Amino acid sequence: MATDPPVTGGTPTLRGRSDECTLLDGMLVAVRAGQSRTLLLRGEAGVGKTALLEHLIASASDLRVVRAEGVESEMELVFAGLHQICAPLLDHARAIPAPQLEALEIVFGISAGPPPDPFLVGLTALSLLGEAAEHRPLLCVIDDAQWLDRASAQTLAFVARRLLAERVALVFAAREPAEELRGLPELEVRGLRAGDARALLRSAVQFLLDEPVRDRIVAETRGNPLALLELPRGLTATELAGGFGLLGAHAMPGRIVESYERRLKALPQDTQQLLLLAAAEPLGDPLLLWRAADAAGLTGAAAAAAETDGLVSLGARVTFRHPLVRSAVYRSATVQERRAAHLALAAATDREADPDRRAWHLAAAASRPDEAVAEELERSAGRAEARGGLAAAAAYLERSVALSVDPERRADRALAGADASLRAGAFETALGLLATAEAFPLDDLRRARVDLLHAETAFSQRRGSDAPPLLLRAAKTLVPLDRELARETYLDAWSAALFAGRLATAGNLHEVSREARRAPPARAPGRPSGLLLDGFALLFTDGRAAATPLLRQAAAAFASEDATGEEVLRWGWLATAAAVTVWDHDTCLTIADRGVQLARDSGALAFLTVAVNVLTQAVALSGDFRAATLLRAEADAVKEATGTQIAPYGALVLGAFQGGEAEVSSLIDATIADATAGGQGTAVQYAKWARAVALNAAGRYAEALPWAQEASEDTPELFVSSWALSEVIEAGARTGELRTAESALERLAERTDAAATSWSSGVEARARALLSAGDTAEALYRKAIDHLERTRLRPELARAHLLYGEWLRRENRRSDARAQLRAAHEQLLAIGMESFAGRARVELLATGEKVRRRTPETRDELTAQERQIAMLAREGLSNPEIGGRMFLSPRTVEWHLRKVFTKLDISSRRELVTALPGMEPELASA
């Protein structure tokens, strides 16, 4: 493409692209100044995206440049694009955290290990780019990003959305970006304006064109630079006299390809064969190309002709003039010629060094089902999955299905491909492969696997009410075929039904529990997951008293080493529900903490999404709001990173206790709307309970009562219902709705008596005190305080002091009331329960006590993310450790900390201890 006159001291500006070049040059200025930039160049084929990338690279002579190019035939080769970006930077890999280094080595086949979570791979790439940029500003360019393999697109999009202060520019160019890249900062590259287009056309046509013909060509090409340069090539003045012939806008790339095809047909036959080999071989490896060419009897003369025509460059890497040249070469060949080229490339590809690419070429060369090739593809799928490339594994298996000879093997491969697609998040592909499997006669076990995968796909997509009946049907089908798999599926069905709660239309908790009870018992009793299934099934069929021993045993097993890491990752969150059901907070906390640590250490972010939500709840119940706030931020970061549709359970518990009506009300409204639409009934129940707590905290008892009642009646067997009964009793007692409160107390007592822990005994005594009088009430308040002091549950204890103090003041025992209210006020403020503390303050003032208002602190000026980072730094975590927790690079963490220091008027991390007042509470000892 022609250029405008160069700017003194800079690089030439592309003709008609001064605005675009200014924007790109500005990105480099920002990167040199220590900031990150991300951009997606979007436009039709030939519009000049690649030329803009070349301008950017030429302007970045002082930056380190790495580049990648998507190739259509490589779209399903695992991490092919990411490898192009990261391979040149591996000299910095030793500086990234050990789990990330291990993930990097696995995905690139350097070492063996379990497939890393895709989001751990993303964090690894972010750390690697950030570390490389510490030494020299970095420019990463990815051309033809629409053809990136899915794993690479997901990873690079993850990186792009988290760059901030790393001295990295990440620039994509695509015709229509893949779903993963949508939403990035974007620049649409359009055709040249008429004047620039006419000037470019003059440079391509060596004879004078009539003005009407010239204007018609410019109009038909819509200023597409490649069309203006390539379409006139080889045409005479007579042939051009009528313009190009009314090109439709959609036809432009095809017409350019046709112009290349005309040039190809003029080349010698052996040159066309060599170009076809190059087009079918995406690596651009000249040694591989020449091995295939030698086998085909092609000589150097063929290459010389191709290079002379300017279609391809055969240097250190085989490079086509434009991606559309590759398309033209491949499209113009016959099916037989393409197969012959792929067969030659398969023969030239080292069976040991690159078996997967060899298998892909063999598959492309196959003209009919071939079991040997299908087996090769199946082995490639296994290797791809071992590197974390689930999308690639699914693609190999999908092709293997088409080449399978034996119907049973074909069905098995379709089921394996559906499973890989499901775990890769490619739900439509999974459903398509399941449909393929269902087209064959299936035995009972394969039919059960189809049902199970359909159910798991529904659950993974929505976690709503449609998954439980599908999982239940799969479990029932599996009972006579695989008893242990059937029991695991029943537990998954119970998990799905728990999410659905009262919104389950079929396969609800009662139905799943009944069917699980009817199923044969485990062959090896005592397995933690089996105890969990049996305990929950008993809860809904035989009641709390019958279920409590098993639920307690299951929770203890998950808290110990009896449960494997796999069981804790998969069902640990459900085991915490068992612990809370039997009022055992300590065991709940232990299991939740173990689950989060396992998920973090293994990079299993899909499990971490749920685990960190559960731990947030457990820690908030303990009153350590500082830790709970950090966990809430981590939960938000993981949810945003993974796109998992899970309700903010942890945030609801924390928000309910903290108060702050506007914020918690907004969270509750959003949760109820989203969860109702998504069929997540338990989330709705949580939200109603949270609103009741927040309203009780503010002393708005009449408003709290209906919310608490609704939450207590939703799935009454669940622990959330028990929590809500406490709120019903407090609101009912305060509004004179004594009959309602007494009924709630009877139901609460049934649940607390079965457990007989300090938590259950303290909550029940506090509730009874609210509905008692005289010495009985006082004895019950003291009993509640005594029991709750033995737990970590500081919010429950502080509320007991508050209620006791309020009762004493109403009994006109001001001196005694002051002692209890003062204790409540101090505890509530220390924990961060602002609304409840406000209630205590009003009561203290009524006793004649003077209470200073809490003044706003500087820390309140910090953003939510700044506060999380500051608190983690205050805990002693390093920048890489904070980055790993928050999905940020260490440099971005440092950038945030500098802003925190400025706002807090401090100069070091050591000063955070005193600069963040009101964040002192740790977990109370049991």
Side-chain angles (χ1 to χ4, degrees):
M1 188 184 295
T3 61
D4 289 334
V7 178
T8 305
T11 56
T13 302
L14 296 168
R15 182 184 301 281
R17 300 297 189 199
S18 58
D19 291 344
E20 291 88 341
C21 290
T22 298
L23 175 64
L24 295 175
D25 292 342
M27 292 180 64
L28 297 180
V29 171
V31 169
R32 294 181 183 110
Q35 301 172 37
S36 295
R37 288 292 185 271
T38 298
L39 184 66
L40 170 64
L41 298 174
R42 181 173 63 83
E44 67 178 5
V47 80
K49 303 183 298 296
T50 300
L52 287 168
L53 291 181
E54 294 299 338
H55 166 86
L56 183 64
I57 291 168
S59 303
S61 58
D62 57 326
L63 275 66
R64 184 170 186 176
V65 179
V66 293
R67 59 193 305 174
E69 181 179 321
V71 178
E72 191 170 10
S73 58
E74 265 194 329
M75 286 183 72
E76 300 303 343
L77 296 182
V78 59
F79 292 118
L82 185 66
H83 191 278
Q84 294 180 61
I85 291 293
C86 292
L89 307 177
L90 291 179
D91 50 329
H92 299 290
R94 294 292 165 188
I96 66 178
Q100 297 178 24
L101 177 60
E102 182 181 353
L104 186 73
E105 291 177 341
I106 291 171
V107 298
F108 289 159
I110 299 170
S111 65
D117 186 284
F119 299 101
L120 178 61
V121 178
L123 186 59
T124 299
L126 177 64
S127 294
L128 184 63
L129 266 61
E131 182 61 34
E134 286 291 323
H135 300 268
R136 186 179 174 188
L138 180 65
L139 170 63
C140 305
V141 296
I142 301 96
D143 203 358
D144 281 316
Q146 75 275 1
W147 287 334
L148 281 173
D149 62 280
R150 190 165 187 264
S152 295
Q154 286 177 331
T155 303
L156 291 171
F158 179 97
V159 172
R161 290 183 172 90
R162 281 154 186 82
L163 288 170
L164 182 62
E166 290 78 14
R167 300 201 305 171
V168 175
L170 186 55
V171 184
F172 301 88
R175 298 178 195 174
E176 279 299 327
E179 181 66 35
E180 291 82 3
L181 300 179
R182 289 176 186 164
L184 295 179
E186 185 178 290
L187 173 65
E188 184 178 3
V189 183
R190 300 176 181 271
L192 297 175
R193 289 185 289 270
D196 294 308
R198 286 193 289 269
L200 187 60
L201 182 61
R202 279 197 301 271
S203 72
V205 178
Q206 302 304 314
F207 44 81
L208 187 64
L209 284 172
D210 290 339
E211 186 172 335
V213 171
R214 180 199 63 194
D215 290 344
R216 183 176 183 183
I217 291 173
V218 168
E220 289 181 352
T221 59
R222 293 180 297 114
N224 184 294
L226 187 64
L228 290 165
L229 290 171
E230 294 296 335
L231 292 181
R233 188 187 291 265
L235 298 180
T236 66
T238 302
E239 290 169 323
L240 281 171
F244 293 145
L246 297 175
L247 302 178
H250 64 281
M252 184 58 62
R255 190 63 183 268
I256 297 173
V257 169
E258 289 172 5
S259 75
Y260 285 131
E261 287 175 348
R262 286 199 306 269
R263 292 167 62 183
L264 286 168
K265 289 175 182 176
L267 295 173
Q269 186 62 36
D270 58 351
T271 301
Q272 293 184 43
Q273 283 184 261
L274 182 70
L275 286 170
L276 178 57
L277 286 171
E281 195 289 293
L283 276 181
D285 181 354
L287 297 178
L288 175 60
L289 176 62
W290 283 117
R291 286 200 300 271
D294 288 342
L298 303 177
T299 66
E307 288 194 287
T308 300
D309 197 59
L311 293 173
V312 71
S313 172
L314 301 173
R317 190 170 183 269
V318 180
T319 308
F320 282 92
R321 172 183 175 86
H322 191 276
L324 288 178
V325 177
R326 185 191 295 271
S327 298
V329 171
Y330 200 78
R331 195 180 85 168
S332 63
T334 66
V335 172
Q336 291 76 17
E337 288 170 338
R338 293 177 200 165
R339 287 174 178 158
H342 283 292
L343 193 60
L345 287 165
T349 302
D350 192 307
R351 181 191 295 266
E352 299 299 325
D354 200 351
D356 301 334
R357 205 174 296 270
R358 178 178 175 276
W360 198 257
H361 282 306
L362 285 172
S367 59
R368 61 188 178 191
D370 186 322
E371 190 60 35
V373 177
E375 288 179 359
E376 290 273 2
L377 289 166
E378 194 171 16
R379 285 191 284 272
S380 292
R383 286 187 290 268
E385 184 170 349
R387 296 195 299 275
L390 291 169
Y396 282 121
L397 287 165
E398 190 172 11
R399 183 65 177 136
S400 178
V401 168
L403 295 176
S404 298
V405 175
D406 181 80
E408 288 190 355
R409 297 295 302 276
R410 191 171 190 176
D412 287 339
R413 286 163 180 157
L415 289 171
D419 183 49
S421 300
L422 167 62
R423 288 181 288 137
F427 302 120
E428 292 304 319
T429 303
L431 293 173
L433 284 164
L434 286 174
T436 298
E438 289 178 293
F440 296 94
L442 300 175
D443 61 19
D444 289 342
L445 183 57
R446 291 186 178 90
R447 168 56 58 190
R449 288 189 63 199
V450 168
D451 289 344
L452 181 57
L453 287 167
H454 270 300
E456 289 177 342
T457 301
F459 186 47
S460 297
Q461 282 181 292
R462 293 173 290 278
R463 293 190 184 270
S465 57
D466 50 350
L470 296 174
L471 284 163
L472 182 58
R473 185 177 73 178
K476 291 162 70 173
T477 307
L478 283 164
V479 166
L481 306 170
D482 188 329
R483 185 182 299 185
E484 293 309 312
L485 180 57
R487 287 179 60 79
E488 290 180 359
T489 307
Y490 274 122
L491 192 54
D492 286 337
W494 209 95
S495 302
L498 178 58
F499 275 102
R502 69 175 181 85
L503 296 180
T505 53
N508 60 32
L509 287 165
H510 290 276
E511 186 179 351
V512 175
S513 298
R514 285 195 300 270
E515 292 297 335
R517 288 294 311 280
R518 294 190 185 112
R523 287 196 171 91
R527 185 180 169 193
S529 58
L531 293 170
L532 195 59
L533 174 62
D534 292 339
F536 277 128
L538 270 174
L539 177 65
F540 278 78
T541 57
D542 290 27
R544 193 172 303 271
T548 292
L550 266 181
L551 289 173
R552 185 173 283 134
Q553 189 180 351
F558 272 91
S560 71
E561 295 303 316
D562 292 346
T564 65
E566 182 182 353
E567 283 183 303
V568 173
L569 282 175
R570 186 171 175 183
W571 296 300
W573 69 273
L574 197 55
T576 65
V580 176
T581 298
V582 298
W583 300 85
D584 185 352
H585 177 258
D586 286 348
T587 301
C588 168
L589 195 59
T590 300
I591 300 168
D593 186 62
R594 185 184 177 200
V596 167
Q597 291 304 323
L598 281 169
R600 284 176 184 159
D601 292 345
S602 63
L605 301 194
F607 293 110
L608 183 59
T609 309
V610 178
V612 77
N613 245 300
V614 171
L615 185 57
T616 304
Q617 296 176 59
V619 172
L621 288 170
S622 74
D624 190 349
F625 287 6
R626 177 178 64 189
T629 302
L630 293 176
L631 289 164
R632 175 185 176 179
E634 183 175 3
D636 290 343
V638 179
K639 181 179 177 180
E640 192 272 332
T642 61
T644 305
Q645 296 302 311
I646 183 170
Y649 297 95
L652 287 168
V653 175
L654 180 61
F657 286 145
Q658 281 181 315
E661 186 179 349
E663 181 182 354
V664 73
S665 182
S666 175
L667 175 66
I668 290 166
D669 288 342
T671 300
I672 290 174
D674 294 344
T676 300
Q680 295 187 37
T682 298
V684 176
Q685 186 180 17
Y686 261 84
K688 291 176 178 177
W689 163 80
R691 175 153 281 158
V693 173
L695 290 169
N696 272 340
R700 294 161 58 184
Y701 305 111
E703 295 174 63
L705 184 57
W707 290 100
Q709 286 179 289
E710 287 186 33
S712 72
E713 291 160 5
D714 281 0
T715 321
E717 294 83 358
L718 293 182
F719 58 84
V720 187
S721 172
S722 300
W723 295 354
L725 286 172
S726 291
E727 306 306 324
V728 171
I729 294 163
E730 182 170 342
R734 289 289 188 254
T735 57
E737 297 286 344
L738 298 183
R739 188 169 297 177
T740 299
E742 287 165 356
S743 173
L745 177 58
E746 288 179 18
R747 288 184 285 154
L748 179 64
E750 291 173 6
R751 303 168 192 201
T752 55
D753 290 348
T757 65
S758 293
W759 183 7
S760 64
S761 298
V763 167
E764 182 185 341
R766 190 181 67 196
R768 287 192 181 282
L770 278 163
L771 297 175
S772 302
D775 293 343
T776 302
E778 182 156 21
L780 286 168
Y781 279 125
R782 290 187 178 278
K783 180 182 178 181
I785 291 169
D786 179 56
H787 278 293
L788 293 172
E789 280 180 336
R790 303 174 197 173
T791 73
R792 298 174 187 254
L793 300 158
R794 293 161 61 213
E796 298 281 24
L797 174 61
R799 290 184 71 178
H801 280 294
L802 174 59
L803 289 170
Y804 185 23
E806 289 175 335
W807 179 82
L808 287 167
R809 191 188 71 76
R810 284 165 177 74
E811 293 291 307
N812 291 318
R813 294 166 57 181
R814 292 194 173 193
S815 178
D816 293 337
R818 285 193 198 103
Q820 292 299 323
L821 292 170
R822 194 180 299 116
H825 188 251
E826 290 172 358
Q827 290 174 25
L828 292 165
L829 276 183
I831 295 169
M833 297 172 67
E834 303 291 346
S835 292
F836 281 104
R839 238 173 77 183
R841 179 178 179 278
V842 170
E843 291 288 333
L844 272 171
L845 290 171
T847 67
E849 183 92 340
K850 292 184 178 180
V851 188
R852 287 194 307 168
R853 284 189 177 275
R854 178 180 175 272
T855 56
E857 295 162 351
T858 308
R859 68 182 175 92
D860 294 330
E861 299 174 8
L862 303 179
T863 67
Q865 190 173 50
E866 289 167 353
R867 186 178 301 180
Q868 315 321 320
I869 290 171
M871 290 164 69
L872 287 169
R874 186 181 188 276
E875 293 296 307
L877 274 69
S878 66
N879 286 359
E881 289 170 332
I882 296 171
R885 192 76 63 85
M886 300 292 293
F887 301 98
L888 302 170
S889 76
R891 189 178 180 91
T892 292
V893 172
E894 181 61 32
W895 182 81
H896 279 299
L897 280 174
R898 285 198 298 269
K899 293 178 68 179
V900 168
F901 292 168
T902 299
K903 289 183 178 182
L904 298 179
D905 194 24
I906 60 176
S907 58
S908 73
R909 300 164 79 100
R910 292 190 302 274
E911 295 177 81
L912 288 170
V913 175
T914 55
L916 295 173
M919 295 188 177
E920 290 298 332
E922 298 289 349
L923 286 175
S925 58

